[in-house]
Amino acid sequence: MMLKYARRFFHAIFTPLAKTLLRMGLTPNAVTVIGTLGVSLGALVIYPMGHLFWGTVVITLFVFSDLIDGLMATLGDQHSEVGGFLDSVCDRFQDSAVFLGLMLWFFGSGQNYWIGVAAAVCLILGLMVSYIRARAESLDYDANTGIAERPERMVATLVFTGFVGLGLPEVVLLAVLTLLAAASLITVIQRMITVVRQSQQR
């Protein structure tokens, strides 16, 4: 809920940038791809090197592309089904890159097996949350339920990963990832139950 209000704040900040990018000839789809490449760089290159804070800084700078491309599509009247499809696919790439980057570090030189496991579980369940909704909608069901929305998951993961990079005890990140995994599991179950109930009512 807090993030919904925060979006208005960021809309005001990034609208001038979105207008500038449109004048430069960039398309919303191009910004989507650039943002995904930037997030992947921070997650899959900088995180495995052990630079959790700077990796988070890079990821955060590029993750705002998800907001900027939407502003560009609105301002330039460039909304399209292909653009929405590309945006959803790139979101999955970005989420996966972040958790995979954490796994590479903590299963490797970071030497924290349980954080690696928690990141792996968050990766799998996060993809399942998105897949169940998409699959349900393809069958004309509404599975937009649950407590583990993508923005909240990513903000929590990035904030606490960055703080760990600044010296916060790793156990805090483990606790956060564990809670996110639990929330994602609850969301998966809720969405499956919702689809089953809707199918029984037909």
Side-chain angles (χ1 to χ4, degrees), residues 35-49 55 58-59 62 97:
T36 300
L37 293 174
V39 170
S40 299
L41 170 69
L44 299 177
V45 176
I46 303 178
Y47 272 177
M49 295 171 62
V58 171
I59 292 169
F62 282 99

Side-chain angles (χ1 to χ4, degrees), residues 127-202:
L127 291 175
M128 288 302 300
V129 167
S130 300
Y131 175 77
I132 291 172
R133 178 178 176 180
R135 181 59 176 159
E137 290 177 349
S138 73
L139 297 173
D140 200 26
Y141 294 116
D142 181 10
N144 188 19
T145 58
I147 59 176
E149 295 298 327
R150 177 183 182 264
E152 285 82 356
R153 294 199 309 268
M154 293 308 298
V155 167
T157 300
L158 293 175
V159 166
F160 286 98
T161 297
F163 281 140
V164 167
L166 291 175
L168 187 73
E170 292 181 355
V171 67
V172 177
L173 178 59
L174 175 59
V176 169
L177 292 178
T178 301
L179 290 173
L180 291 177
S184 296
L185 178 59
I186 291 171
T187 299
V188 166
I189 294 172
Q190 286 179 323
R191 291 187 173 184
M192 292 180 67
I193 292 175
T194 297
V195 170
V196 170
R197 286 178 175 172
Q198 291 178 19
S199 68
Q200 293 174 340
Q201 293 172 358
R202 289 188 175 182

Side-chain angles (χ1 to χ4, degrees), residues 61 71 177:
L61 290 175
L71 283 171
L177 292 178

Side-chain angles (χ1 to χ4, degrees), residues 79-100:
H79 285 289
S80 68
E81 291 184 355
V82 172
F85 173 78
L86 178 65
D87 191 60
S88 295
V89 171
C90 286
D91 283 349
R92 304 293 82 74
F93 271 115
Q94 292 182 20
D95 295 357
S96 299
V98 168
F99 290 116
L100 181 56

